[in-house]
Amino acid sequence: MSMSDPMSDRSARIANSVMLFIAGMLVITPTFWMVLSSFKQSFEVTAYPPKLFFTPTLENYVTLSERTPFLHYAFNSMVVTVGSTLLGLILGTPAAFVASWTRITWPAIVTLVARMAPGTLFLLPWYLMFRQVDMIGTYGALILTHGVITMPIVIWVLLPFFDNIPRSIYEAAQVDGCAPARVFWKIALPLVSSGLVVSTILAFVFSWNYFLFSLVLSNSDTKTLIAASFNFIGEGSTNWGGLMAAATMIALPPLVLATIVQRWLISGLTLGAVKG
Amino acid sequence: MASITLKKLSKAYGALTVIPDLSLEIRDTEFVVLVGPSGCGKSTLLRVLAGLEPISGGELYIGNDLVNDVQPSKRDIAMVFQDYALYPHMTVRQNMSFALEMRNVPKAEITEQVDRAAALLDITKFLERRPKALSGGQRQRVAMGRAIVRNPRVFLFDEPLSNLDAKLRAQVRAEIKALSDQLKTTMVFVTHDQVEAMTMADRIVVLKDGVIQQVGTPEEVYNQPVNEFVGGFIGSPAMNIFDARVEGGKLLLTDGTILDAPKSLREGQSVRLGIRPEHFVPDLSGVSVPVKLTEPLGSETLVHFDLAGTEAIASVPPDTPARAHGRLSLRVAMNKAHLFDPETGASLRQKTLEAV
Ligand SMILES: Nc1ncnc2c1ncn2[C@@H]1O[C@H](COP(=O)(O)OP(=O)(O)OP(=O)(O)O)[C@@H](O)[C@H]1O
Ligand SMILES: [Mg+2]
């Protein structure tokens, strides 16, 4: 579509490829390393120089499923992540709509600040509060606290989506007989559907990967997968192979999810493309 | 079906006062057309009537109900927005059905109403399309359709025909007029189009800077403009305006052209003289003027010419021998001319008529 000369066109393409390659390597190398290590014997994992060729073993995965209640932890993670993602959507979606409608964004900024604050800030007050109401070790406490992770994501992903809806469309709906709550359900929500997909995925992934609150507020029965994986880091020796096998399993659900919805994810993250 | 009463209504956006103080009574079943230059507050006034903008002061009644604080959804009005505001995620049919669904109208009746409106607006073949797949004019017709499927107390139209081609515009104009007679619903219609204003209105409201200049029937605002602004705004091509002075019982233009002076004027008085294009009459005994340009429109010819340093336009019969760069003799029908006070712009003619 451009008239630029083929030479510079080509060098631009090459530069693009090189940069994509570097970015790709940065992301893929540790993942590759992780997956590879999970199939090695423990002593091989830390060997230097690292071995690319070795006899793969499922030993680490066997350990994972036989010596730890892996499935139970996975179930915990699923409960907490799904619960907190729903919580974030239920609270965050109307909040984003109202913030956009009224143009009052300071509450959204407060949630963002809360999200950016180090999680350790919340630990002590939450520990005390949940102990007071006897909720330490419950799914409820974990779901509620993970709401601090999910809700700001939902709000901040959806805000620009709502802002993009022309105001007169809301106004037409009002004139057509919708009270504000109905404008939200009938008009605004369907128009931000791709934003909902994006915010759900992001909230899910961030909540799934968050370990700090679970370390303190769960008990052995409600521990999430990622918090439990820290058990492999021992006092004296760390079972790297086991840890890598656990990490590989933990990385799987978000990866699968992101792959399934990647089309929406990309169009949603580059909001301009879905406008109009 | 309701009257609309505005009592000392005002509207400001922060420090910007758009409507300072407006009182108006729109009668039940009346078709009122709002006209005025861009930015004078026409859309703002409609939005205030719809309840989309809070009122800064005064009172607004629909029927006998004070609606100052009534939600738009509770006012029972239908509105066509200047930018259409169609629902992008719904088909044309869904767009048009939406308001009826919100009011729990039975399905069969909705289908019937939508089909009727679609046929009227010639959009039946687009009913299953999304607004995105329509042209500007088609979208505008859908926006019209969304309003006319309903039977509200008041219709508000914000330039609903501006994007239609001439033929369709005339057609829809006639349909709206018929609809208004048939539904007997109060209608407030904003337009820039002179023909729309003159042909559809029971009464025209002329606004300038949020202030009503004149309210009257199309004939009244056209034939008896209360001031120079209304005289210049209503009518197309616009009224020609000249500076003039009374000398020796005659009206003298700045270039020395002499015209008959109405008796009511004092010797030495300065006035602004307003002459509509059709009130220049080709007449060999008239004033000879240099023709700059002619625009034959078929039923009439517009002649652009210079008079007293002003570019004026005369509307003459098509067989008039006028050519560009030639000369033409024109007489002024002084009994139809308008006189305005040069200071206040107020019409001097009404006083003249009273004095007679
Ligand atoms: N939301 C707003 N905030 C501040 N000023 C506004 C707002 N909406 C309109 N105005 C101002 O109010 C004035 C009247 O605007 P309005 O849209 O009513 O004009 P209009 O008569 O409909 O013009 P047009 O014929 O161009 O549609 C304008 O000066 C406009 O800039
Ligand atoms: Mg407007």
Side-chain angles (χ1 to χ4, degrees), chain B residues 199-278:
Chain B
T199 55
M200 304 214 284
D202 291 326
R203 285 194 301 162
I204 293 178
V205 176
V206 185
L207 277 179
K208 181 191 170 198
D209 300 335
V211 178
I212 292 181
Q213 304 295 306
Q214 186 168 5
V215 183
T217 63
E219 294 73 31
E220 279 167 358
V221 291
Y222 189 79
N223 294 328
Q224 298 152 38
V226 296
N227 58 31
E228 188 182 325
F229 175 81
V230 175
F233 193 78
I234 299 289
S236 174
M239 180 185 278
N240 304 291
I241 307 267
F242 305 94
D243 281 312
R245 233 155 61 83
V246 183
E247 251 170 58
K250 291 284 185 186
L251 209 49
L252 211 64
L253 302 191
T254 47
D255 65 345
T257 305
I258 298 169
L259 300 168
D260 291 335
K263 285 197 271 310
S264 58
L265 296 180
R266 286 181 283 103
E267 183 68 17
Q269 186 176 2
S270 292
V271 295
R272 300 269 284 165
L273 173 66
I275 304 166
R276 293 210 180 274
E278 65 271 28

Coordinates of all heavy atoms in Angstrom, one line a residue, chain B residues 199-278:
Chain B
T199 N -42.5 24.8 5.3 CA -43.6 23.9 4.8 C -44.2 23.1 6.0 O -45.3 22.7 5.9 CB -43.1 22.9 3.7 OG1 -42.0 22.3 4.2 CG2 -42.8 23.7 2.5
M200 N -43.3 22.8 7.0 CA -43.8 21.9 8.0 C -44.4 22.6 9.2 O -45.3 22.0 9.9 CB -42.7 20.9 8.4 CG -42.1 20.2 7.3 SD -41.6 18.5 7.7 CE -40.2 18.8 8.6
A201 N -43.9 23.8 9.5 CA -44.2 24.3 10.8 C -45.6 24.9 10.9 O -46.2 25.5 10.0 CB -43.2 25.5 11.1
D202 N -46.3 24.6 12.1 CA -47.4 25.4 12.5 C -46.9 26.8 12.9 O -47.4 27.8 12.6 CB -48.2 24.7 13.6 CG -48.9 23.5 13.1 OD1 -49.3 23.4 12.0 OD2 -49.0 22.5 13.9
R203 N -45.9 26.7 13.7 CA -45.2 27.9 14.2 C -43.7 27.8 14.1 O -43.2 26.7 14.4 CB -45.6 28.3 15.6 CG -47.0 28.9 15.6 CD -47.3 29.6 17.0 NE -47.1 28.6 18.1 CZ -46.9 29.0 19.3 NH1 -46.9 30.3 19.6 NH2 -46.8 28.1 20.3
I204 N -43.0 28.8 13.8 CA -41.5 28.8 13.7 C -41.0 29.6 14.9 O -41.6 30.7 15.3 CB -41.0 29.4 12.4 CG1 -41.4 28.6 11.2 CG2 -39.5 29.7 12.5 CD1 -41.0 29.1 9.9
V205 N -40.0 29.1 15.6 CA -39.3 29.8 16.7 C -37.9 30.1 16.2 O -37.2 29.2 15.8 CB -39.2 28.9 18.0 CG1 -38.5 29.7 19.0 CG2 -40.6 28.6 18.5
V206 N -37.6 31.4 16.1 CA -36.3 31.8 15.6 C -35.5 32.2 16.9 O -35.8 33.0 17.7 CB -36.4 33.1 14.7 CG1 -35.0 33.4 14.2 CG2 -37.4 32.8 13.6
L207 N -34.3 31.4 17.0 CA -33.4 31.6 18.1 C -32.1 32.3 17.7 O -31.7 32.1 16.6 CB -33.0 30.2 18.7 CG -34.0 29.5 19.7 CD1 -33.3 28.2 20.0 CD2 -34.2 30.4 20.9
K208 N -31.6 33.1 18.6 CA -30.3 33.6 18.4 C -29.6 33.7 19.7 O -30.2 34.3 20.6 CB -30.3 35.0 17.7 CG -29.0 35.6 17.4 CD -29.2 37.1 17.0 CE -27.8 37.8 17.0 NZ -28.0 39.2 17.0
D209 N -28.4 33.1 19.9 CA -27.7 33.1 21.2 C -28.6 32.7 22.3 O -28.6 33.2 23.4 CB -27.1 34.5 21.5 CG -26.1 34.9 20.4 OD1 -25.6 34.0 19.8 OD2 -25.9 36.1 20.2
G210 N -29.5 31.7 22.1 CA -30.3 31.2 23.1 C -31.5 32.1 23.5 O -32.2 31.8 24.4
V211 N -31.7 33.2 22.7 CA -32.8 34.1 23.0 C -33.8 34.0 21.8 O -33.4 34.0 20.6 CB -32.3 35.5 23.1 CG1 -33.4 36.5 23.3 CG2 -31.3 35.6 24.2
I212 N -35.1 33.9 22.2 CA -36.1 33.8 21.1 C -36.2 35.2 20.5 O -36.4 36.2 21.1 CB -37.5 33.4 21.7 CG1 -37.4 32.0 22.2 CG2 -38.6 33.6 20.7 CD1 -38.7 31.5 22.7
Q213 N -36.1 35.3 19.1 CA -36.3 36.5 18.4 C -37.7 36.7 18.0 O -38.2 37.8 18.1 CB -35.4 36.5 17.2 CG -33.9 36.2 17.5 CD -33.3 37.3 18.3 OE1 -33.4 38.5 17.9 NE2 -32.7 37.0 19.4
Q214 N -38.3 35.6 17.5 CA -39.7 35.7 17.1 C -40.4 34.4 17.1 O -39.7 33.4 16.8 CB -39.8 36.3 15.7 CG -41.2 36.6 15.2 CD -41.2 37.4 13.9 OE1 -40.2 37.7 13.3 NE2 -42.4 37.8 13.5
V215 N -41.6 34.3 17.5 CA -42.4 33.1 17.4 C -43.6 33.4 16.5 O -44.3 34.4 16.8 CB -42.9 32.6 18.7 CG1 -43.7 31.3 18.6 CG2 -41.7 32.5 19.7
G216 N -43.9 32.7 15.5 CA -45.0 33.0 14.6 C -45.2 31.9 13.6 O -44.4 31.0 13.4
T217 N -46.3 32.1 12.8 CA -46.5 31.2 11.7 C -45.5 31.5 10.7 O -44.9 32.5 10.7 CB -47.9 31.4 11.1 OG1 -47.9 32.7 10.6 CG2 -49.0 31.2 12.1
P218 N -45.3 30.5 9.7 CA -44.3 30.8 8.7 C -44.6 32.1 8.0 O -43.6 32.8 7.7 CB -44.5 29.5 7.8 CG -44.9 28.5 8.7 CD -45.8 29.1 9.7
E219 N -45.8 32.4 7.7 CA -46.2 33.6 7.0 C -45.8 34.8 7.8 O -45.2 35.8 7.3 CB -47.7 33.7 6.7 CG -48.2 32.7 5.7 CD -48.2 31.3 6.3 OE1 -48.5 31.2 7.5 OE2 -48.0 30.3 5.6
E220 N -46.0 34.8 9.1 CA -45.7 35.9 10.0 C -44.2 36.2 10.0 O -43.8 37.3 9.9 CB -46.2 35.6 11.4 CG -47.7 35.9 11.6 CD -48.3 35.4 12.9 OE1 -47.5 34.8 13.6 OE2 -49.5 35.6 13.1
V221 N -43.4 35.1 10.3 CA -42.0 35.4 10.4 C -41.4 35.8 9.0 O -40.4 36.5 9.0 CB -41.2 34.2 11.0 CG1 -41.5 34.0 12.4 CG2 -41.4 32.9 10.2
Y222 N -42.0 35.3 8.0 CA -41.5 35.7 6.6 C -42.0 37.1 6.2 O -41.2 37.9 5.8 CB -42.0 34.7 5.6 CG -41.4 34.9 4.2 CD1 -40.1 34.4 4.0 CD2 -42.0 35.5 3.2 CE1 -39.5 34.5 2.8 CE2 -41.4 35.7 2.0 CZ -40.1 35.2 1.8 OH -39.5 35.3 0.6
N223 N -43.2 37.4 6.5 CA -43.8 38.7 6.0 C -43.6 39.8 7.0 O -43.5 41.0 6.6 CB -45.2 38.6 5.6 CG -45.4 37.6 4.4 OD1 -44.6 37.6 3.6 ND2 -46.5 36.9 4.4
Q224 N -43.5 39.5 8.3 CA -43.4 40.5 9.3 C -42.3 40.2 10.3 O -42.6 40.0 11.5 CB -44.8 40.6 10.1 CG -45.9 41.1 9.2 CD -47.2 40.5 9.8 OE1 -47.4 40.5 11.0 NE2 -48.1 40.1 8.9
P225 N -41.1 40.1 9.8 CA -40.0 39.8 10.7 C -39.9 41.0 11.7 O -40.0 42.2 11.4 CB -38.7 39.8 9.8 CG -39.1 40.5 8.6 CD -40.6 40.3 8.4
V226 N -39.7 40.7 13.0 CA -39.7 41.7 14.0 C -38.4 42.5 14.1 O -38.3 43.5 14.6 CB -40.0 41.2 15.4 CG1 -41.4 40.6 15.5 CG2 -39.0 40.1 15.9
N227 N -37.3 41.9 13.5 CA -36.1 42.6 13.5 C -35.2 42.2 12.3 O -35.6 41.2 11.6 CB -35.3 42.4 14.8 CG -35.0 41.0 15.1 OD1 -34.8 40.1 14.2 ND2 -35.0 40.6 16.4
E228 N -34.1 42.8 12.1 CA -33.3 42.6 11.0 C -32.7 41.2 11.0 O -32.6 40.6 9.9 CB -32.1 43.6 11.0 CG -31.3 43.6 9.7 CD -30.1 44.6 9.7 OE1 -30.3 45.6 10.3 OE2 -29.1 44.2 9.2
F229 N -32.5 40.6 12.2 CA -31.9 39.3 12.2 C -32.9 38.3 11.7 O -32.5 37.5 10.8 CB -31.6 38.9 13.7 CG -31.1 37.5 13.8 CD1 -29.8 37.1 13.5 CD2 -32.0 36.5 14.2 CE1 -29.4 35.8 13.6 CE2 -31.6 35.2 14.3 CZ -30.3 34.8 14.0
V230 N -34.1 38.4 12.1 CA -35.2 37.4 11.6 C -35.4 37.6 10.1 O -35.4 36.6 9.3 CB -36.5 37.6 12.4 CG1 -37.6 36.7 11.7 CG2 -36.3 37.3 13.8
G231 N -35.4 38.9 9.7 CA -35.6 39.2 8.3 C -34.5 38.5 7.5 O -34.7 37.9 6.4
G232 N -33.2 38.7 7.9 CA -32.1 38.1 7.2 C -32.0 36.6 7.3 O -31.5 36.0 6.4
F233 N -32.5 36.0 8.4 CA -32.3 34.6 8.6 C -33.4 33.8 7.9 O -33.1 32.7 7.3 CB -32.3 34.3 10.1 CG -31.9 32.9 10.4 CD1 -30.5 32.6 10.4 CD2 -32.8 31.9 10.6 CE1 -30.1 31.3 10.6 CE2 -32.3 30.6 10.8 CZ -31.0 30.3 10.8
I234 N -34.6 34.3 7.9 CA -35.7 33.5 7.3 C -35.7 33.9 5.8 O -35.7 35.1 5.5 CB -37.0 33.8 8.0 CG1 -37.0 33.4 9.4 CG2 -38.2 33.1 7.2 CD1 -37.0 31.9 9.6
G235 N -35.8 33.0 4.9 CA -35.9 33.3 3.5 C -34.6 32.9 2.8 O -33.5 33.1 3.4
S236 N -34.7 32.3 1.7 CA -33.6 31.9 0.9 C -33.8 32.1 -0.6 O -34.8 31.5 -1.1 CB -33.2 30.4 1.2 OG -32.2 30.0 0.4
P237 N -33.0 32.8 -1.3 CA -31.8 33.6 -0.8 C -32.3 34.6 0.2 O -33.4 35.0 0.3 CB -31.3 34.2 -2.1 CG -32.0 33.6 -3.2 CD -33.2 33.0 -2.7
A238 N -31.3 35.0 1.0 CA -31.6 35.9 2.1 C -32.0 37.3 1.7 O -31.8 37.7 0.5 CB -30.4 36.1 3.0
M239 N -32.7 38.0 2.6 CA -33.2 39.4 2.3 C -31.9 40.2 2.0 O -30.9 40.1 2.7 CB -33.9 39.8 3.6 CG -34.4 41.2 3.5 SD -35.1 41.7 5.2 CE -36.7 41.0 5.1
N240 N -32.1 41.2 1.1 CA -31.0 42.1 0.8 C -31.1 43.3 1.8 O -32.2 43.8 1.9 CB -31.1 42.6 -0.6 CG -31.0 41.5 -1.6 OD1 -30.0 40.8 -1.7 ND2 -32.2 41.2 -2.2
I241 N -30.0 43.7 2.4 CA -30.1 44.8 3.4 C -29.2 46.0 2.9 O -28.1 45.8 2.5 CB -29.6 44.3 4.8 CG1 -30.3 43.0 5.2 CG2 -29.7 45.4 5.8 CD1 -31.5 43.2 6.0
F242 N -29.8 47.2 3.0 CA -29.1 48.4 2.5 C -29.2 49.4 3.6 O -30.2 49.5 4.3 CB -29.6 48.9 1.2 CG -29.7 48.0 0.1 CD1 -30.9 47.2 -0.1 CD2 -28.6 47.8 -0.7 CE1 -31.0 46.3 -1.1 CE2 -28.7 46.9 -1.8 CZ -29.9 46.1 -2.0
D243 N -28.1 50.2 3.7 CA -28.2 51.5 4.6 C -28.9 52.5 3.7 O -28.6 52.7 2.6 CB -26.8 51.9 4.9 CG -26.2 51.1 6.1 OD1 -27.0 50.9 7.1 OD2 -25.1 50.7 6.0
A244 N -29.8 53.3 4.4 CA -30.5 54.3 3.6 C -30.8 55.5 4.6 O -30.7 55.4 5.8 CB -31.8 53.8 3.1
R245 N -31.1 56.7 3.9 CA -31.4 57.9 4.7 C -32.6 58.6 4.0 O -32.7 58.6 2.8 CB -30.2 58.8 4.8 CG -29.8 59.2 6.2 CD -28.4 59.6 6.2 NE -28.1 60.7 5.3 CZ -28.3 62.0 5.7 NH1 -28.7 62.3 6.9 NH2 -28.0 63.0 4.8
V246 N -33.4 59.2 4.8 CA -34.5 60.0 4.2 C -34.0 61.4 3.9 O -33.5 62.1 4.8 CB -35.7 60.0 5.2 CG1 -36.9 60.8 4.5 CG2 -36.1 58.6 5.6
E247 N -34.1 61.8 2.6 CA -33.7 63.2 2.2 C -34.7 63.7 1.2 O -35.0 63.1 0.2 CB -32.3 63.2 1.7 CG -31.3 63.8 2.6 CD -29.9 63.6 2.1 OE1 -29.6 64.0 1.0 OE2 -29.1 63.0 2.9
G248 N -35.2 64.9 1.5 CA -36.2 65.5 0.6 C -37.4 64.6 0.3 O -37.8 64.5 -0.8
G249 N -37.8 63.9 1.3 CA -39.0 63.0 1.2 C -38.7 61.8 0.4 O -39.7 61.0 0.1
K250 N -37.5 61.5 0.0 CA -37.1 60.3 -0.7 C -36.1 59.5 0.1 O -35.5 60.0 1.0 CB -36.4 60.7 -2.0 CG -37.4 61.3 -3.0 CD -38.3 60.3 -3.7 CE -39.1 60.9 -4.7 NZ -40.1 59.9 -5.2
L251 N -36.0 58.2 -0.2 CA -35.1 57.3 0.5 C -33.8 57.2 -0.4 O -33.9 56.9 -1.6 CB -35.7 55.9 0.6 CG -35.3 55.1 1.8 CD1 -35.4 55.8 3.1 CD2 -36.2 53.8 1.8
L252 N -32.7 57.6 0.2 CA -31.5 57.7 -0.5 C -30.5 56.6 -0.1 O -30.2 56.5 1.1 CB -30.8 59.1 -0.2 CG -30.0 59.7 -1.2 CD1 -30.9 60.1 -2.4 CD2 -29.3 61.0 -0.7
L253 N -30.0 55.7 -1.0 CA -29.0 54.7 -0.7 C -27.7 55.4 -0.7 O -27.5 56.5 -1.2 CB -29.1 53.6 -1.7 CG -30.4 52.8 -1.8 CD1 -30.2 51.5 -2.6 CD2 -31.0 52.5 -0.4
T254 N -26.7 54.7 -0.2 CA -25.3 55.3 0.0 C -24.7 55.7 -1.3 O -23.9 56.6 -1.4 CB -24.4 54.3 0.7 OG1 -24.5 53.0 0.1 CG2 -24.7 54.2 2.2
D255 N -25.1 55.1 -2.5 CA -24.5 55.4 -3.7 C -25.4 56.5 -4.5 O -25.2 56.7 -5.7 CB -24.4 54.2 -4.6 CG -25.7 53.6 -5.0 OD1 -26.7 53.9 -4.3 OD2 -25.8 52.7 -5.9
G256 N -26.4 57.0 -3.8 CA -27.2 58.0 -4.4 C -28.4 57.5 -5.1 O -29.2 58.3 -5.6
T257 N -28.6 56.2 -5.1 CA -29.9 55.7 -5.7 C -31.1 56.2 -4.9 O -31.1 56.3 -3.6 CB -29.9 54.1 -5.6 OG1 -28.7 53.7 -6.2 CG2 -31.1 53.6 -6.2
I258 N -32.1 56.7 -5.6 CA -33.3 57.3 -5.0 C -34.5 56.3 -5.1 O -34.8 55.8 -6.1 CB -33.6 58.6 -5.6 CG1 -32.4 59.6 -5.5 CG2 -34.9 59.2 -5.1 CD1 -32.5 60.8 -6.3
L259 N -35.1 56.1 -3.9 CA -36.3 55.2 -3.9 C -37.4 56.0 -3.2 O -37.1 57.0 -2.5 CB -36.0 53.9 -3.1 CG -34.9 53.0 -3.7 CD1 -34.5 52.0 -2.7 CD2 -35.3 52.4 -5.0
D260 N -38.6 55.6 -3.3 CA -39.7 56.2 -2.6 C -39.6 55.9 -1.1 O -39.3 54.8 -0.7 CB -41.1 55.6 -3.1 CG -41.4 56.1 -4.5 OD1 -40.8 57.1 -4.9 OD2 -42.1 55.4 -5.2
A261 N -39.9 56.9 -0.3 CA -39.8 56.7 1.1 C -41.2 56.6 1.7 O -42.1 57.3 1.3 CB -39.1 58.0 1.8
P262 N -41.4 55.6 2.6 CA -42.7 55.5 3.3 C -42.9 56.8 4.0 O -42.0 57.4 4.6 CB -42.5 54.3 4.2 CG -41.3 53.5 3.7 CD -40.4 54.6 3.0
K263 N -44.2 57.1 4.1 CA -44.6 58.4 4.7 C -44.2 58.6 6.2 O -44.0 59.6 6.7 CB -46.1 58.6 4.6 CG -46.5 59.0 3.2 CD -47.9 59.6 3.1 CE -49.1 58.6 3.0 NZ -49.0 57.6 1.9
S264 N -44.2 57.4 6.9 CA -44.0 57.5 8.3 C -42.6 57.9 8.8 O -42.4 58.2 9.9 CB -44.3 56.1 8.9 OG -43.4 55.2 8.3
L265 N -41.7 57.9 7.8 CA -40.3 58.3 8.2 C -40.1 59.8 8.3 O -40.6 60.6 7.6 CB -39.3 57.7 7.2 CG -39.3 56.1 7.1 CD1 -38.3 55.7 6.1 CD2 -39.1 55.5 8.5
R266 N -39.2 60.1 9.3 CA -38.9 61.5 9.5 C -37.8 61.9 8.5 O -37.0 61.1 8.1 CB -38.3 61.8 10.9 CG -39.3 61.7 12.0 CD -38.5 62.0 13.3 NE -37.8 60.8 13.8 CZ -36.5 60.7 13.7 NH1 -35.7 61.6 13.1 NH2 -35.9 59.6 14.2
E267 N -37.8 63.2 8.1 CA -36.7 63.8 7.3 C -35.4 63.6 8.0 O -35.3 63.8 9.2 CB -37.0 65.3 7.1 CG -36.0 66.0 6.1 CD -36.0 65.5 4.7 OE1 -37.0 64.9 4.3 OE2 -35.1 65.7 3.9
G268 N -34.3 63.1 7.3 CA -33.0 62.9 7.9 C -32.8 61.6 8.7 O -31.7 61.3 9.1
Q269 N -33.9 60.8 8.8 CA -33.8 59.6 9.6 C -33.0 58.5 8.8 O -33.1 58.4 7.6 CB -35.2 59.0 9.8 CG -35.2 57.8 10.8 CD -36.6 57.4 11.1 OE1 -37.6 57.9 10.6 NE2 -36.7 56.4 11.9
S270 N -32.1 57.8 9.6 CA -31.3 56.7 9.0 C -32.1 55.4 9.2 O -32.6 55.2 10.3 CB -29.9 56.6 9.6 OG -29.1 57.7 9.2
V271 N -32.1 54.6 8.2 CA -32.8 53.3 8.4 C -31.9 52.2 7.7 O -31.0 52.5 6.9 CB -34.2 53.2 7.8 CG1 -35.1 54.2 8.5 CG2 -34.1 53.6 6.3
R272 N -32.3 50.9 8.1 CA -31.8 49.8 7.3 C -32.9 49.3 6.5 O -34.0 49.0 7.0 CB -31.3 48.7 8.2 CG -30.2 49.1 9.2 CD -28.8 48.9 8.6 NE -28.4 47.5 8.7 CZ -27.4 47.0 8.0 NH1 -26.7 47.7 7.2 NH2 -27.1 45.7 8.1
L273 N -32.7 49.2 5.2 CA -33.8 48.8 4.2 C -33.6 47.4 3.8 O -32.5 47.0 3.4 CB -33.7 49.7 3.0 CG -34.6 49.4 1.8 CD1 -36.1 49.6 2.2 CD2 -34.2 50.2 0.6
G274 N -34.6 46.6 4.1 CA -34.6 45.2 3.7 C -35.5 44.8 2.6 O -36.7 45.2 2.6
I275 N -34.9 44.2 1.5 CA -35.7 43.9 0.3 C -35.5 42.4 0.0 O -34.4 42.0 -0.2 CB -35.3 44.8 -0.9 CG1 -35.4 46.3 -0.5 CG2 -36.2 44.5 -2.1 CD1 -34.8 47.2 -1.5
R276 N -36.6 41.7 -0.1 CA -36.5 40.3 -0.4 C -36.2 40.2 -1.9 O -36.7 41.0 -2.7 CB -37.8 39.5 -0.1 CG -38.0 39.4 1.4 CD -38.7 38.2 1.8 NE -38.9 38.1 3.3 CZ -38.0 37.6 4.1 NH1 -36.9 37.2 3.7 NH2 -38.3 37.6 5.4
P277 N -35.5 39.1 -2.4 CA -35.2 38.9 -3.8 C -36.4 39.1 -4.7 O -36.2 39.6 -5.8 CB -34.6 37.5 -3.8 CG -34.0 37.3 -2.5 CD -35.0 38.0 -1.5
E278 N -37.5 38.5 -4.3 CA -38.7 38.6 -5.2 C -39.3 39.9 -5.2 O -40.3 40.1 -6.0 CB -39.7 37.5 -4.8 CG -40.4 37.6 -3.5 CD -39.6 37.0 -2.3 OE1 -38.3 36.9 -2.4 OE2 -40.2 36.6 -1.3

